[in-house]
Amino acid sequence: MRWMFRIAGALVIAAVIGVVALLMLPHDRIVGIATEKIEARTGRDLSVSGDVSLSFWPVLGVKTGPVTLGNAEWAGTEPMLTASGLSIGVSAVELLTGSVRVTGIVAEDPVLRLQTAPDGRANWVFDTVSADATATVSGDSVAAQSADRAIALDLLELRNGTLIYSDVDAAPVTLSGVDLELRWPDPDGPAALAATVTPVSAPIGINAEFTHPTALIDGAVSPVALQVKLPSGTMDFNGRANIAGELAGRLNLISKDIDKSTSALGLSSIELPAGWGPAVALTAEVTYTTDGRLSVREMRSELGENRLNGVVDVVLGDVPQVTAKLSAGLLTFPAAAAASSAGASSASSAAPGGAGDGWSRTPIDASALGLVNGSIRLSAEGIQTPDLTVGQVQLRLEVDRSRGVLHLEDVAVFNGRLTGQLVANNRSGLSVGGALTAADIDILQVQRDLLGMERVEGKAAGELEFLGVGQSVDAIMRSLSGKGGLRVGRGVILGLDLDRLMRGDAASGGTTVFDSLGASFTMREGNVFNEDLLLQLSNYRADGNGRIGLGARDIDYTFTPIALRARSGQGISLPIRIKGPWGAPRIWPDLEAAAKANADAQLDEIEEEAKAKLQQKLAEELDVQIEEGQDAEEVLKDRLEDEAKNQLLKLLGRN
């Protein structure tokens, strides 16, 4: 606000110096004296055109036509101030008692240009002159004394003004329709300001109180109270500030519609997650310094249904650096997830393979990764969406040059725990990846919430590494690569009764209880490949191998249970084929593969039986007794070698 006080001071001094002469001089001479005083006080050229009128009692004043005040030499050719008219009034009654009270300074249709230079200079800081110089210009010693006298300002008023602010290396900011009133009745007392500005379309009301305005003008820190009335909300600040813009104090923001409030300020629309607005309330201790550092402490915020507390530090720049430590209760995202699901459904209808079987092809806008750099830590009691509920979480987000890494330090999800990290990189096209470790995960809940299917119950542990590239969910899912492993304790397979299948009943349905399940897998081009699935049951064992299409959302898998006690412990297998889309896969016993496998088993059994009979016949012919625990094949082999040796000796005549 320094520019306001300085301009007001220059106009006040011009009105007071030589005020006695106003009663005796012609109008053009009065204008000349005022012009000389303002130019001497500001170091700027002043031109006044049009008619000049005077009033003498009870208000001593001057009213002019169009006025132009020049700019600083370095600030360009445009004037600093223009107005269609200027009025200055002084209380004649109090002037007679030796005090000076300016009853009003009114500028009609003013256009005020405020600028800063690269070296820190501001065009509202004037090149002032001494009181002696002022006295020389007026030729009146009484006027020189008046320049040093304390002056009361009842009112400084700007009507229908335009404010143009140009900062270094920034686009000019223009505020039109500015109405402003500054009241400073006691030179040693507080000043009050009331203003209305219209940055875009809706008017904004500003009220401020300055406890020590003189100290502010001199660059000192002074108590300040500020209230901004926004469409659908208010913003209050109570604390201390200086004229350079540094401040420290309590900030309170209440808005019924945060988008309307920020749009009225000419700021970009704030796109909060659905369920996090539009009503917003914020209170915090705020400190700002001229080197662009913003500190927020004791923050308490209400964002729609959510509560978020903590501390935030921001270093402003081309890309702000943010450091934050936040805590929250249950964070809800009700409509965001629903909208995402609706979008996925819409995209699915256009995907090949029928409605409902495709991922969303809507382009992903990941430009937000480049808006800030920094580190944000969050501790929350939980996160809830219509499709997914996460328990207590400890998260840390690191963002650097459009690359974000979300560290899952401890996440309670699917009734288990999840740790690891997720990465989103938008430096040269979007890619996502991660390395996760899970324990005690309810795999039925995983299938239900993420895949829309229910096939296996149990608690799982495992690890996963993955990488996907693309500008849509569909492209990412079809590009996934990586590896992982899965281990499940006791559980249940739904929709599959191995006992019935092994008895030759091809009907589907039922359940199968298993003791353990383990598998490793690799991922290539959006497909999961597994060759070593092993399922252990009390009377069965099952192997598995095949492909699960993450991109195409389909499956082609062979699951082969083996009845361990069948055929006198020799076992019998019945491969089961699972093929089709996730939502409705076909499950049937592969009888051709089963026949081949069991035929091979029967051939092995016949071969073993024939081998046993041959060994028995040889033992009888060779008169060999095979004791329990001996290898019949080895005993017969030794006996045949001995018999061959004896026959060779006989042939040589050595017997």
Side-chain angles (χ1 to χ4, degrees):
M1 308 302 291
R2 174 183 293 177
W3 60 270
M4 189 184 312
F5 290 108
R6 287 187 179 274
I7 294 173
L11 296 175
V12 168
I13 294 300
V16 174
I17 296 177
V19 68
V20 176
L22 289 173
L23 299 174
M24 306 297 296
L25 297 176
H27 293 182
D28 57 347
R29 182 54 182 153
I30 294 172
V31 173
I33 291 174
T35 300
E36 291 173 357
K37 303 306 175 277
I38 293 178
E39 289 179 345
R41 189 70 181 176
T42 64
R44 310 283 177 82
D45 293 333
L46 176 69
S47 66
V48 179
S49 59
D51 295 333
V52 177
S53 61
L54 298 178
S55 63
F56 297 99
W57 192 270
V59 174
L60 180 64
V62 178
K63 185 174 183 180
T64 76
V67 176
T68 300
L69 179 65
N71 217 329
E73 293 182 358
W74 52 265
T77 59
E78 293 288 344
M80 177 181 175
L81 173 67
T82 62
S84 63
L86 183 66
S87 300
I88 301 175
V90 179
S91 173
V93 174
E94 295 188 49
L95 187 64
L96 294 175
T97 66
S99 62
V100 179
R101 175 173 298 279
V102 179
T103 59
I105 300 175
V106 180
E108 300 286 350
D109 305 317
V111 177
L112 180 63
R113 293 176 174 85
L114 305 179
Q115 294 174 255
T116 59
D119 59 5
R121 290 179 295 173
N123 71 334
W124 59 85
V125 177
F126 302 118
D127 298 326
T128 59
V129 296
S130 66
D132 292 340
T134 304
T136 302
V137 174
S138 67
D140 194 332
S141 60
V142 176
Q145 295 174 6
S146 299
D148 296 329
R149 185 181 301 165
I151 300 169
L153 175 62
D154 281 355
L155 175 65
L156 168 65
E157 184 175 357
L158 305 181
R159 297 174 179 171
N160 190 33
T162 299
L163 175 63
I164 303 172
Y165 178 75
S166 299
D167 199 359
V168 180
D169 298 328
V173 176
T174 300
L175 299 178
S176 59
V178 177
D179 294 323
L180 179 147
E181 293 183 359
L182 173 65
R183 298 181 183 275
W184 190 7
D186 182 354
D188 297 321
L193 179 145
T196 301
V197 299
T198 309
V200 184
S201 57
I204 296 174
I206 301 173
N207 291 282
E209 294 184 3
F210 307 96
T211 304
H212 301 298
T214 303
L216 273 177
I217 295 173
D218 293 337
V221 175
S222 175
V224 173
L226 175 69
Q227 182 183 67
V228 180
K229 296 180 180 179
L230 302 166
S232 301
T234 60
M235 181 174 64
D236 299 308
F237 173 80
N238 285 279
R240 299 172 65 82
N242 64 18
I243 206 71
E246 294 180 316
L247 57 84
R250 194 73 180 175
L251 176 68
N252 295 286
L253 170 65
I254 298 176
S255 177
K256 295 180 180 179
D257 190 327
I258 190 62
D259 189 50
K260 288 184 179 179
S261 296
T262 55
S263 296
L265 293 171
L267 302 176
S268 299
S269 177
I270 296 180
E271 297 183 4
L272 293 173
W276 287 58
V280 170
L282 171 70
T283 178
E285 290 291 333
V286 177
T287 301
Y288 177 75
T289 57
T290 53
D291 58 354
R293 296 181 180 272
L294 175 66
S295 173
V296 181
R297 296 291 182 271
E298 300 180 21
M299 184 185 75
R300 302 286 185 272
S301 64
E302 298 180 9
L303 308 171
E305 301 175 1
N306 299 280
R307 307 290 183 270
L308 200 62
N309 308 321
V311 299
V312 181
D313 290 302
V314 181
V315 180
L316 299 178
D318 293 337
V319 180
Q321 183 78 26
V322 179
T323 304
K325 185 176 182 180
L326 307 174
S327 62
L330 178 64
L331 300 178
T332 60
F333 298 82
S340 176
S341 299
S345 175
S346 175
S348 296
S349 63
D357 65 348
W359 301 103
S360 171
R361 295 180 179 177
T362 303
I364 299 173
D365 182 3
S367 59
L369 287 170
L371 296 180
V372 297
N373 293 329
S375 175
I376 301 174
R377 184 180 292 274
L378 172 65
S379 174
E381 294 179 6
I383 300 174
Q384 186 177 65
T385 74
D387 300 322
L388 179 65
T389 298
V390 177
Q392 197 167 40
V393 299
Q394 297 284 342
L395 307 174
R396 187 176 83 256
L397 175 62
E398 306 280 350
V399 182
D400 179 39
R401 295 177 296 115
S402 297
R403 182 179 183 269
V405 181
L406 180 62
H407 299 271
L408 310 179
E409 297 180 347
D410 188 12
V411 178
V413 62
F414 301 121
N415 297 320
R417 315 299 296 186
L418 185 66
T419 58
Q421 65 180 27
L422 299 171
V423 180
N425 190 338
N426 196 43
R427 291 176 180 172
S428 56
L430 180 61
S431 64
V432 297
L436 304 174
T437 300
D440 298 323
I441 299 296
D442 186 338
I443 55 178
L444 181 63
Q445 188 176 347
V446 173
Q447 297 167 87
R448 182 186 297 127
D449 292 350
L450 301 184
L451 305 178
M453 56 187 291
E454 297 181 357
R455 289 291 180 264
V456 181
E457 287 184 2
K459 291 285 188 178
E463 49 281 331
L464 169 66
E465 296 179 14
F466 70 95
L467 175 65
V469 180
Q471 294 299 140
S472 68
V473 175
D474 181 77
I476 290 171
M477 295 302 291
R478 292 179 184 276
S479 70
L480 282 173
S481 62
K483 63 180 180 178
L486 177 69
R487 298 171 298 280
V488 183
R490 187 174 179 84
V492 177
I493 301 175
L494 303 175
L496 180 64
D497 187 339
L498 285 180
D499 282 328
R500 293 173 61 187
L501 285 171
M502 300 305 290
R503 291 195 304 267
D505 187 349
S508 61
T511 60
T512 298
V513 178
F514 61 87
D515 296 323
S516 66
L517 176 113
S520 63
F521 58 86
T522 59
M523 291 190 293
R524 299 188 304 274
E525 297 179 348
N527 292 287
V528 176
F529 298 94
N530 163 251
E531 300 294 337
D532 63 354
L533 182 138
L534 177 60
L535 179 68
Q536 298 280 4
L537 301 89
S538 57
N539 297 322
Y540 301 94
R541 187 191 85 222
D543 302 322
N545 63 86
R547 178 191 65 84
I548 300 175
L550 299 179
R553 296 165 66 101
D554 66 350
I555 184 171
D556 187 358
Y557 202 84
T558 300
F559 182 71
T560 306
I562 302 172
L564 300 176
R565 298 181 182 179
R567 296 189 304 112
S568 302
Q570 296 299 314
I572 185 172
S573 63
L574 179 59
I576 299 171
R577 193 77 179 274
I578 306 172
K579 189 173 183 179
W582 286 354
R586 182 188 173 202
I587 303 174
W588 77 95
D590 192 339
L591 299 179
E592 181 178 350
K596 182 178 183 303
N598 292 319
D600 292 341
Q602 290 177 356
L603 288 176
D604 292 340
E605 183 178 347
I606 293 172
E607 181 180 347
E608 290 296 328
E609 183 178 352
K611 186 176 180 180
K613 290 182 178 180
L614 177 61
Q615 290 176 349
Q616 182 179 0
K617 183 64 175 177
L618 287 172
E620 292 174 356
E621 291 293 335
L622 298 174
D623 192 21
V624 175
Q625 186 69 32
I626 300 175
E627 301 293 337
E628 184 177 355
Q630 289 183 309
D631 188 334
E633 186 173 348
E634 290 297 326
V635 172
L636 291 172
K637 180 179 178 181
D638 293 341
R639 181 68 182 88
L640 285 171
E641 289 178 354
D642 291 340
E643 184 62 26
K645 186 187 296 183
N646 292 334
Q647 294 298 325
L648 180 60
L649 291 175
K650 287 182 179 181
L651 180 63
L652 297 174
R654 295 186 180 183
N655 188 359

